[in-house]
Amino acid sequence: MNKNINELHREKTKKVYFPNLNGVRALAALMVVIAHIELHKTIFHIRRIPDINLLNLGKIGVTVFFSLSGFLITYLLLEEKRTFTHINFKGFYMRRLLRIWPLYFLVVLFGFLLYPVGSKNAIWLSVLFLPNLAFSLNLLPAIVDPIWSIGTEEQFYLFHPHFFRFKRTEHILYALLIFIIIIYTVEIGVGKLASANSIYLAFRNLMYYARFDNMMIGAIVAIIYNNTKYPQFKFRFQKLFDTIFKKWFQIVLIIAFIIYLLFYLSYNISHGDVLISVMASLLIVNLCETGTSIYSLQHKYLDYIGQISYGIYLLHKFCLFLVLYLVQKYLTPGNMIVENLIIYGATIIGVIGIASLSYYGYERPFLQIKKRFQKITQ
């Protein structure tokens, strides 16, 4: 009996740690920054890098963020349920509130003050965590438009934890699968009607910017992975899933991922983010298994950038717009290599600097309070 109590105590105080995931956050954040540098050069009449299209790199980064978010939130909820037999919903929402809201509302406040071209509707939609709706209607000012994805995540968090009210893990998996099938069914139906009616077109755009499917894919992979480590039900395709940890499969997966991303950069692939989510989630699983993974993102610089990635994502356009303005005003167009070294170097260094100030000077006190509501730490 005492042995069981000790084991339970160790289980309750354990820390879930995936050392590679900060590297994933870092790469995803940098993808978004690079894409936005190229996107906004035209506003300041600065030449883009020729012969290579980097604009879709931002879409890739955001999709990876969504997949990682769905995966990690689900895995942590499963660990909480497995350890404590239930989910503390109040604790979950307090953790999300303390992590997301402080910087989000600061960006909304200063963004609309510094760049007051958005409508009043955009302000209210942003305050009510509907910035993805404002973004789909082209209402958000460019300097704050990254907030659209934060609204998407907050909307996802409203309903996703309640899937874990099911007692059995396989029922959670089935519910997620049914939900994602419903999403795709509705999207197909709305897509067919969009050409005939502007309202359906607007609804289709909103559904695209909801991106619940990306997070759901990450969540489904997290359930299968967690069940692989701590079997709770018999998964019919377990042997197939186990194949992803084999060396040959990892090589094939990473090559296929790179090739697909190169195509995605050059072509607008309809719903191309779905396949990115699937492959990214499988890559994330392998990164979690450091003992068998053939690749690693464990590096002190990537780890640091990943740690402050929320600030990088939300604040990078403030720094970017300043750099582009200064380059336009004071740098005479000349050697493109030198010009881009200045733009990219100043933007990335500046963004990391401002995100560091945000993390240590503003976000960290809220993160300390957040720890009071954590049962499973990461």
Side-chain angles (χ1 to χ4, degrees):
M1 180 71 175
N2 289 335
K3 182 180 178 181
N4 291 336
I5 291 174
N6 290 334
E7 288 177 353
L8 183 60
H9 176 73
R10 285 197 298 271
E11 185 77 6
K12 288 185 177 182
T13 55
K14 81 170 189 174
K15 185 176 182 179
V16 175
Y17 181 54
F18 297 129
N20 276 306
L21 297 192
N22 266 342
V24 177
R25 293 187 183 98
L27 293 179
L30 292 174
M31 286 180 188
V32 173
V33 173
I34 291 169
H36 285 164
I37 289 174
E38 291 302 310
L39 175 67
H40 293 302
K41 279 180 178 179
T42 54
I43 297 177
F44 295 89
H45 308 291
I46 297 172
R47 298 168 296 175
R48 286 180 179 168
I49 296 175
D51 304 323
I52 181 170
N53 184 4
L54 296 175
L55 300 184
N56 282 344
L57 202 62
K59 295 180 181 179
I60 295 169
V62 170
T63 301
V64 172
F65 266 129
F66 282 143
S67 304
L68 177 60
S69 180
F71 174 87
L72 192 54
I73 288 295
T74 300
Y75 191 92
L76 293 175
L77 286 171
L78 287 169
E79 286 296 281
E80 182 176 340
K81 185 178 177 66
R82 189 172 67 87
T83 305
F84 301 99
T85 71
H86 68 281
I87 302 297
N88 183 334
F89 293 99
K90 177 183 176 182
F92 174 85
Y93 287 115
M94 285 303 298
R95 292 194 300 272
R96 292 297 88 204
L97 182 152
L98 290 164
R99 183 67 190 105
I100 301 298
W101 287 26
L103 186 56
Y104 174 88
F105 281 111
L106 186 68
V107 168
V108 169
L109 174 64
F110 280 98
F112 280 98
L113 284 176
L114 294 173
Y115 209 78
V117 297
S119 68
K120 290 184 178 179
N121 289 334
I123 297 173
W124 281 112
L125 288 172
S126 300
V127 170
L128 296 173
F129 278 102
L130 292 169
N132 49 351
L133 175 57
F135 188 65
S136 68
L137 296 173
N138 296 313
L139 299 178
L140 285 181
I143 202 165
V144 299
D145 63 16
I147 66 173
W148 75 265
S149 65
I150 308 303
T152 292
E153 289 207 18
E154 288 294 273
Q155 294 157 22
F156 178 73
Y157 297 147
L158 283 177
F159 65 85
H160 182 64
H162 298 284
F163 284 107
F164 294 81
R165 293 185 183 276
F166 289 107
K167 291 184 178 180
R168 299 177 63 177
T169 306
E170 63 264 44
H171 292 166
I172 299 172
L173 176 62
Y174 300 151
L176 291 178
L177 287 169
I178 291 171
F179 190 87
I180 202 169
I181 289 171
I182 292 172
I183 289 175
Y184 288 138
T185 303
V186 173
E187 282 190 357
I188 292 171
V190 172
K192 290 183 177 180
L193 296 170
S195 59
N197 191 305
S198 59
I199 295 176
Y200 288 114
L201 178 61
F203 187 59
R204 186 190 67 178
N205 291 337
L206 176 60
M207 289 196 69
Y208 172 75
Y209 288 113
R211 302 294 284 275
F212 295 150
D213 55 341
N214 296 163
M215 288 179 278
M216 283 287 187
I217 289 168
I220 290 167
V221 172
I223 291 175
I224 300 170
Y225 173 55
N226 188 270
N227 188 67
T228 302
K229 296 183 71 173
Y230 312 105
Q232 298 177 59
F233 66 95
K234 187 175 181 180
F235 181 52
R236 184 175 298 179
F237 304 102
Q238 188 62 52
K239 288 185 179 180
L240 180 63
F241 186 79
D242 291 341
T243 305
I244 72 171
F245 301 108
K246 296 185 181 296
K247 183 177 179 180
W248 68 265
F249 185 89
Q250 294 180 57
I251 293 172
V252 171
L253 179 61
I254 192 68
I255 292 174
F257 189 58
I258 292 171
I259 292 173
Y260 182 72
L261 294 188
L262 291 174
F263 274 101
Y264 192 82
L265 286 174
S266 301
Y267 304 100
N268 289 320
I269 302 173
S270 179
H271 296 289
D273 55 286
V274 175
L275 188 53
I276 293 174
S277 292
V278 172
M279 290 193 286
S281 297
L282 296 180
L283 288 169
I284 287 167
V285 166
N286 272 298
L287 285 168
C288 291
E289 286 297 305
T290 54
T292 58
S293 179
I294 63 171
Y295 41 85
S296 173
L297 294 177
Q298 293 185 59
H299 189 280
K300 61 180 181 179
Y301 296 130
L302 284 177
D303 184 70
Y304 181 75
I305 293 172
Q307 187 178 8
I308 63 170
S309 59
Y310 182 50
I312 290 175
Y313 182 73
L314 281 185
L315 297 169
H316 72 275
K317 284 198 175 184
F318 291 89
C319 183
L320 169 60
F321 279 33
L322 177 61
V323 169
L324 292 177
Y325 169 75
L326 293 174
V327 167
Q328 178 198 36
K329 188 167 184 178
Y330 297 107
L331 185 66
T332 303
N335 189 298
M336 183 171 282
I337 295 176
V338 174
E339 185 177 87
N340 279 286
L341 284 174
I342 293 171
I343 292 172
Y344 276 83
T347 300
I348 292 174
I349 291 171
V351 166
I352 292 174
I354 193 173
S356 298
L357 288 174
S358 171
Y359 183 82
Y360 288 103
Y362 179 64
E363 299 169 59
R364 206 170 188 183
F366 297 102
L367 296 177
Q368 293 298 321
I369 300 172
K370 175 189 167 203
K371 290 180 180 179
R372 301 176 189 174
F373 299 93
Q374 286 183 319
K375 285 188 172 183
I376 301 293
T377 60
Q378 57 170 309

